[in-house]
Amino acid sequence: MADIHQLILQHGIDEARRQAITRHERAVVEAAYQVLGDETEGIGFTYSGFALTSLPHKEQSETIWKREGHNLTLILQSGVDRQGHEVGLPYGSYARFILLFLQSEAVKTRSREIELGRSMQVWLGRMGLSIGGNSYRLVKEQAKRISLCRLTFYGGLGDQQLLRNGAFVEGAITMSGTPSQPSLWQDRVRLDEAFYHALCDHPVPVNEASLRAIGPRSMALDVYIWLAYRLHALKRDTEVSWPALYAQFGSGFKRQRAFRAQFLESLELAVAVYPGARLDVHEQGITLRPSRAAIAKA
């Protein structure tokens, strides 16, 4: 589609909807419209390491996860429960949104102590992720996996460890209730000290309206956060090859060709919720261009 933001601003949302033919194009139009119409510009935050690497999109049979991006490597290891059984790696959109809430609150309050109670449930609902019925078990499971996993970030080209054998939180993120009557989260949780300091030293501001417009599309979330981090920091045009994009975002795809089609859809959605993003797609990959911040207050 043509520049979706200009189309909406110049000809209106009805004309943009009329031109959207496929389901994906309709999703892009609605996402762009949501962000253009948002006046609150709520700010969220994430650690810069997750702008260059990512969690799995789907459940993994392996217990160790490795992702690489722009001279950074993430090693994520499954934790074990009381019986010594592997609980599995956190994955998907719910894991990402739980972590986004925890990180955003930590940066805003400048504290490792995060108040949960009803606040996280309300925030997840505001992001379009309900907690009840089938989603209750998924949310509870992702919280457990986040609580128990271990992570290490390597920087540069050698063995320099930026965050060694760390964790997301101390203790556990728990929720009481049943699928039919989900109750509140525990009162509070404390971020792991090393992870908290890494986050405060290198936070990436993101637009909550953009996160909400993307919703439960984990790759699009990753691509948006990547653009929010890289575009604003660029001093000149930068090429990113398809092999590099595949290494960072291509988990679950055996062939680069299949990955490319899915990535381009995620990229279109990410650009739709980031009106200031400037980039070009070509046969060799993507050219990133210096752009204004993803959120004006940043």
Side-chain angles (χ1 to χ4, degrees), residues 33-88:
Y33 182 58
Q34 281 188 53
V35 172
L36 287 174
D38 179 74
E39 297 180 353
T40 60
E41 202 171 57
I43 303 178
F45 294 92
T46 188
Y47 172 50
S48 62
F50 294 114
L52 302 173
T53 62
S54 64
L55 302 181
H57 297 296
K58 298 179 180 180
E59 187 167 15
Q60 303 293 303
S61 57
E62 295 82 5
T63 59
I64 296 179
W65 170 260
K66 179 181 178 181
R67 283 285 95 187
E68 297 183 354
H70 197 61
N71 295 333
L72 190 73
T73 300
L74 165 65
I75 303 293
L76 189 66
Q77 297 172 280
S78 167
V80 296
D81 60 18
R82 187 172 181 176
Q83 287 72 42
H85 301 145
E86 300 280 354
V87 300

Side-chain angles (χ1 to χ4, degrees), residues 17 49 155 186 270:
R17 287 169 175 160
Q186 68 202 63

